[in-house]
Each structure stands twice: as C-alpha cells, then as structure tokens.
Amino acid sequence: MKIAFVGKGGSGKTTLSSLFIRHLAATGAPVLAVDADINQHLGAALGLSDEEAAALPAMGAHLPLIKEYLRGSNPRIASADTMIKTTPPGEGSRLLRVREDNPVYETCARPVALDDGGIRLMATGPFTESDLGVACYHSKVGAVELCLNHLVDGPDEYVVVDMTAGSDSFASGMFTRFDMTFLVAEPTRKGVSVYRQYKEYARDFGVALRVVGNKVQGPEDVEFLRAEVGDDLLVTVGHSDWVRAMEKGRPPRFELLEATNRTALQSLQDAADDSYAHRDWERYTRQMVHFHLKNAESWGNARTGADLAAQVDPGFVLDERLAVPQPS
C-alpha cells in the first residue's frame, strides 16, 4: 500500500507519519519510508541522530543512477538523459519492489532499526546553498516521483511518504500515486485550508483522502473539524507525553505510547488496508501517462530535445502481478 502524509507546515505530518511507520514496523510489516519533504525531519523523528540524518544519501543527487536502472531495456527510452520525473514504465523497464534488494536501494536507502522492527528509509535530500538561484526543489522531489512510477507493491507491504508541505505536490502528478492520503490538519482555519485545496484536486482524480485532526484539545476542536471536513475526518490526536519526549531526543519504548494514540494509529492502518479493495492499476497507469504527457508538452520536450510522448507504451499497465524479480 502506498500512503502519503500531507498538511501545511507545522501541522505535525512528519511526527504522525513517523508514529505510523513505527506502528507498522511493530506489526512486522515490511515498510519503505520516504522523506519527500525538502525540510528533512523524518529521519530525526524516527530516532536518527543529527549526524545520522545528515548522512542519509540524497535521492536527488543520484538521479542518473535511478534513471539508468529503471530504464532497463525499454526500447522507447533512448537514454537516461531523456527521462523526466513523470516518465512511465513500459515493456523492458525495471520495477521496484518493497522487499527486494536492488542498486537504487543500495545507493539511496538505509536501514533504520526501531524498537520492534526495522524499515528502509529514503530521503529526497535538502535544498542546499548550491541550489539557490539555479534549481527548483521540484527537481529534487522528482526522484521520488520517478521511483513511485516504477514501484509495485502488495496489500501486505507499505510505502509511507512524508510529502512536501502545503499543496506543492500538485505541481506534478505525484499526489495521485497513493492508495490513501492522510491529511494532517490542526483545528484552525489555516489548518483546514490545505484540506480544501486537496479535496478539490482529489475529487477530479479519485484520490482517497482522509483527515487526521492533530493537536486536538477537546470536543470543541473535534466539532470544528467535523464541521469543516465532514465525514473525511477519520480520527483525532491530542497531546502526547511520548511525542514530547521523542522531540527532546529521549523517546521511551514505542509500546509505551498512549493507548488512545495507539488506537488512532490502528485506525489509520485499517483505513489504508481497506483502500486496497479500490486499487485500480489501470487508472493509476492512465493518470501517470496523463501527467507525463502534460509535462512533456509544457517543458519536457524542450528540456530533453526529444518527443517524450513516444516513451508511452500503450499496451503496458503497471500491476503488482508484475512483481517478479528481474536481473539487476
């Protein structure tokens, strides 16, 4: 299952995504976690020291390797240089699987040991001083989008992505790449403003969207969120001494997380698991192609000097049944 956490800056989406990742790892599920926010905080929220978090390889810095590996023997892609962030897979492309070992994971992913299990963690990479004035951070996030385009996963596997803050993911089609999107909202007018933007786009693309109310202090906050987001409100989360200790760098064992918050995390997993019944690989592939053609026309063809529409394999549908390991 592919799961995104979104929300405005400061809403607590990184904290909640890290708690959800810990919850999944404690169940023994295989988890690939991705920090797709330019403000890289997921590693620290998962217990890495500042030095360990800073040492995570940046996916954006390894884009040539990612492209070359995913291109495989696809005859429609002349070279890795002609691949852009929206390039879809086709016959001959290499696909990524959650549990396998491959050069992309070897280069860009690192194992993270948690209290009750372990995960793989990948990170987009920060927006560095050398990027100022010459680069757009969407090009960094493009490495994540390209990997998601080539990733096949089953119902008992989890890919959890901590997305960019606000509505920035709408700059590409990445917001359509998930089985479930959890929007973290505080009980304030600003807190629900991103929800309205996401809801509008989600309606047009069939994106499954549920709201997680965060920093909720009482029934009035719940009533406010319910009035603003209606039945999209899945669960609410309040103050947590465990989270406060985690933010100080001294978290207790995860099993000591408050019972109410453990129940909330289970509700998130249940909602994500339930969304599997609505998974539609044909629609997923169709949307992928839609955004690729838009990007090709608006900037990709000019940037690469190639007709990127020719990269689309009309007979190819991404599907978990393709999850048979290929030679690296």
Side-chain angles (χ1 to χ4, degrees), residues 10-40:
S11 64
K13 69 178 179 63
T14 298
T15 297
L16 280 168
S17 61
S18 72
L19 292 177
F20 186 61
I21 290 165
R22 289 175 185 269
H23 167 79
L24 293 174
T27 70
V31 180
L32 174 62
V34 183
D35 191 345
D37 195 337
I38 295 302
N39 297 312
Q40 304 273 279

Side-chain angles (χ1 to χ4, degrees), residues 292-308:
H292 178 63
L293 295 177
K294 284 186 63 176
N295 278 267
E297 183 178 354
S298 63
W299 62 269
N301 291 343
R303 178 82 56 87
T304 63
D307 176 13
L308 300 186

Side-chain angles (χ1 to χ4, degrees), residues 132-325:
L132 294 176
V134 297
C136 169
Y137 70 85
H138 290 114
S139 64
K140 303 260 186 183
V141 179
V144 178
E145 184 168 358
L146 196 57
C147 286
L148 288 175
N149 284 356
H150 290 74
L151 186 116
V152 284
D153 57 299
D156 56 345
E157 302 169 327
Y158 296 88
V159 181
V160 182
V161 182
D162 182 19
M163 297 280 279
T164 54
S167 57
D168 287 337
S169 63
F170 296 135
S172 70
M174 195 159 72
F175 75 100
T176 66
R177 300 296 187 265
F178 301 98
D179 297 289
M180 175 58 67
T181 296
F182 292 124
L183 189 145
V184 181
E186 300 169 77
T188 64
R189 291 176 63 186
K190 287 185 178 180
V192 299
S193 61
V194 175
Y195 161 78
R196 295 194 182 94
Q197 292 176 300
Y198 254 88
K199 185 68 174 179
E200 181 178 348
Y201 283 95
R203 186 182 300 113
D204 294 334
F205 290 94
V207 174
L209 178 68
R210 301 302 302 272
V211 174
V212 181
N214 193 29
K215 304 178 185 178
V216 171
Q217 297 182 4
E220 290 156 347
D221 286 344
V222 177
E223 290 172 9
F224 172 84
L225 287 169
R226 183 71 68 187
E228 294 291 331
V229 309
D231 291 339
D232 285 339
L233 182 64
L234 174 64
V235 71
T236 61
V237 179
H239 173 78
S240 169
D241 290 332
W242 193 97
V243 169
R244 180 59 61 88
M246 179 268 288
E247 290 173 340
K248 293 177 179 177
R250 299 190 295 270
R253 287 190 59 82
F254 185 65
E255 64 191 27
L256 299 178
L257 181 72
E258 297 87 356
T260 54
N261 290 329
R262 291 201 307 272
T263 300
L265 293 173
Q266 185 59 54
S267 295
L268 266 61
Q269 183 180 0
D270 291 344
D273 290 346
D274 289 346
S275 71
Y276 179 77
H278 306 288
R279 175 177 276 192
D280 184 342
W281 284 105
E282 290 189 0
R283 184 182 69 184
Y284 184 94
T285 305
R286 187 169 61 249
Q287 291 175 343
M288 191 190 315
V289 169
H290 167 77
F291 282 103
H292 178 63
L293 295 177
K294 284 186 63 176
N295 278 267
E297 183 178 354
S298 63
W299 62 269
N301 291 343
R303 178 82 56 87
T304 63
D307 176 13
L308 300 186
Q311 293 179 340
V312 176
D313 184 341
F316 183 87
V317 176
L318 193 66
D319 192 292
E320 65 203 75
R321 288 170 293 186
L322 300 172
V324 176

Side-chain angles (χ1 to χ4, degrees), residues 68-74 89-97 100-103 150 152 316 318-328:
E68 192 59 53
Y69 177 76
L70 297 178
R71 181 170 74 97
S73 60
N74 187 336
E91 189 68 31
S93 297
R94 290 193 181 99
L95 304 178
L96 301 176
R97 296 149 187 92
E100 72 176 359
D101 294 317
N102 59 55
H150 290 74
V152 284
F316 183 87
L318 193 66
D319 192 292
E320 65 203 75
R321 288 170 293 186
L322 300 172
V324 176
Q326 301 180 22
S328 60

Side-chain angles (χ1 to χ4, degrees), residues 42-103:
L42 184 58
L46 290 170
L48 297 185
S49 67
D50 290 343
E51 294 76 16
E52 290 170 329
L56 288 171
M59 295 175 68
H62 297 285
L63 198 50
L65 178 146
I66 293 172
K67 289 180 176 180
E68 192 59 53
Y69 177 76
L70 297 178
R71 181 170 74 97
S73 60
N74 187 336
R76 296 176 178 274
I77 303 176
S79 69
D81 290 338
T82 63
M83 294 180 74
I84 62 175
K85 63 183 180 177
T86 54
T87 296
E91 189 68 31
S93 297
R94 290 193 181 99
L95 304 178
L96 301 176
R97 296 149 187 92
V98 174
R99 303 187 218 211
E100 72 176 359
D101 294 317
N102 59 55

